[in-house]
């Protein structure tokens, strides 16, 4: 695998775009987890709904006489692909979170993104031990640390290749 950073650079720094992508994925983390759990719990029911329901008919609006069974198969495969993508993203985010060196930044990122609390709730939770500006700084530092780790793992090259 070809690395995208400079020759001899042992610990690359994530670009602003990679940091923003990391923050975007962190913001979607709890939703991805919820959808994954729902898919795991109701996969058989989702298959049956795709076959029996009208969703399979709507894959291509221009086809008036669509093969409902084939369309249902495509729909099921799409759902499975999304599930696998979410699983990959959440696993990589968890790995990168575990590599945050600053314990306060790790706790702040965990509470804000992995547990899914709002920025206000996060500030209120940590208010007794840190100032608001320190909490915000720790969240930013944690997200940047995660982006650096994701870059080192080759996540962004693989993520770009998939889309």
């Amino acid at each position: 695998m070809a690395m995208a950073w400079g020759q001899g650079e042992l610990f690359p720094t994530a670009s602003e775009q990679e940091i923003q992508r990391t923050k975007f994925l962190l913001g979607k983390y709890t939703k991805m987890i919820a959808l994954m759990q729902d898919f795991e719990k109701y996969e058989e029911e989702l298959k049956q709904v795709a076959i029996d329901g009208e969703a399979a008919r709507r894959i291509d609006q221009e086809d008036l006489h669509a093969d409902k069974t084939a369309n249902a198969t495509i729909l099921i495969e799409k759902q499975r692909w999304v599930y696998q993508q979410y699983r990959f993203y959440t696993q990589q985010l968890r790995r990168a979170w575990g590599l945050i060196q600053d314990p306060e930044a790790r706790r702040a990122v965990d509470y804000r993104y992995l547990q899914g609390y709002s920025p206000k709730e996060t500030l209120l939770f940590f208010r007794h031990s840190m100032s608001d500006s320190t909490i915000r700084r720790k969240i930013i530092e944690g997200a940047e640390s995660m982006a650096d780790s994701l870059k080192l793992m080759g996540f962004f090259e693989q993520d770009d290749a998939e889309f």
Side-chain angles (χ1 to χ4, degrees):
M1 177 172 103
M3 295 298 172
W5 55 82
Q7 186 175 10
E9 189 176 359
L10 194 53
F11 298 104
T13 303
S15 68
E16 187 59 37
Q17 181 181 3
E18 292 164 337
I19 292 169
Q20 291 305 315
R21 178 76 175 145
T22 303
K23 288 179 181 178
F24 172 79
L25 290 172
L26 282 169
K28 300 293 183 187
Y29 182 84
T30 54
K31 188 172 186 172
M32 287 190 288
I33 292 291
L35 289 171
M36 286 171 38
Q37 290 170 345
D38 183 72
F39 180 81
E40 290 167 357
K41 188 173 181 180
Y42 297 109
E43 183 176 5
E44 291 305 315
E45 287 89 342
L46 287 170
K47 286 180 186 177
Q48 195 59 43
V49 167
I51 292 168
D52 294 342
E54 291 296 311
R57 221 178 269 239
R58 289 189 225 113
I59 287 179
D60 186 3
Q61 292 292 338
E62 296 172 12
D63 192 359
L64 299 176
H65 303 287
D67 182 357
K68 199 170 173 182
T69 306
N71 287 349
T73 303
I74 292 168
L75 187 62
I76 292 164
E77 287 304 313
K78 182 179 178 183
Q79 290 170 340
R80 187 173 290 119
W81 180 82
V82 169
Y83 169 78
Q84 290 169 343
Q85 288 299 116
Y86 284 1
R87 202 167 105 203
F88 171 72
Y89 288 151
T90 55
Q91 286 173 344
Q92 297 305 308
L93 288 171
R94 270 274 179 210
R95 285 181 63 201
W97 172 78
L99 294 172
I100 297 173
Q101 296 296 305
D102 181 355
E104 290 176 338
R106 189 179 319 116
R107 280 187 54 228
V109 167
D110 176 50
Y111 198 82
R112 169 66 182 97
Y113 293 113
L114 302 186
Q115 294 184 39
Y117 289 100
S118 71
K120 184 177 182 177
E121 291 170 320
T122 305
L123 292 174
L124 291 173
F125 180 78
F126 287 103
R127 184 165 276 164
H128 68 279
S129 61
M130 294 182 269
S131 70
D132 290 358
S133 60
T134 301
I135 298 164
R136 287 188 188 96
R137 190 177 70 250
K138 293 295 181 181
I139 292 171
I140 291 168
E141 288 172 5
E144 289 173 354
S145 172
M146 288 178 68
D148 291 343
S149 295
L150 290 171
K151 183 172 183 93
L152 187 60
M153 289 186 252
F155 171 82
F156 297 111
E157 288 82 14
Q158 188 170 356
D159 190 39
D160 288 341
E162 291 175 5
F163 294 103

